Amino acid sequence: LYTTSFSDLIPFFTKEKYYIAHKLVSYKGKKIIIKGEMFKVSKSELINFIQKSINIGDMREFLISPILTNNKKEVLYLTEDSYYLYKS
């Protein structure tokens, strides 16, 4: 799923807890260094944080995944102006 509206993704937040990681990557030669932080958050904290970031124009790249309770895999990839949902 691809959308330019974060509100289109809100119905897909069906779990109560999520991981959110700031996608901040740097390179030293061929070595990839992940510098972003990762946190566990509640669904309401996550939605409020993202909506506030969008409203103040400070949206960053994030990777979001529910804290899994089954075998389904979901990853949301958020950029400054586009939002993607990957499911398997």
Side-chain angles (χ1 to χ4, degrees), residues 21-26 32-37:
H22 182 208
K23 186 176 182 256
L24 184 59
V25 178
S26 65
I32 299 172
I33 302 166
I34 298 173
K35 293 185 173 185
E37 299 282 334

Side-chain angles (χ1 to χ4, degrees), residues 25-42:
V25 178
S26 65
Y27 299 89
K28 187 172 186 178
K30 292 185 179 183
K31 183 178 181 181
I32 299 172
I33 302 166
I34 298 173
K35 293 185 173 185
E37 299 282 334
M38 184 171 86
F39 299 93
K40 289 182 183 179
V41 295
S42 70

Side-chain angles (χ1 to χ4, degrees), residues 3 9 15 18 24 26 28 33 38 42 47 54 62 77:
T3 183
L9 289 181
K15 304 295 183 198
Y18 288 83
L24 184 59
S26 65
K28 187 172 186 178
I33 302 166
M38 184 171 86
S42 70
I47 292 170
I54 293 167
F62 292 105
Y77 173 52

Side-chain angles (χ1 to χ4, degrees), residues 53-68:
S53 296
I54 293 167
N55 291 342
I56 64 172
D58 191 27
M59 189 61 184
R60 311 282 173 98
E61 285 187 80
F62 292 105
L63 295 166
I64 300 168
S65 179
I67 296 175
L68 299 176

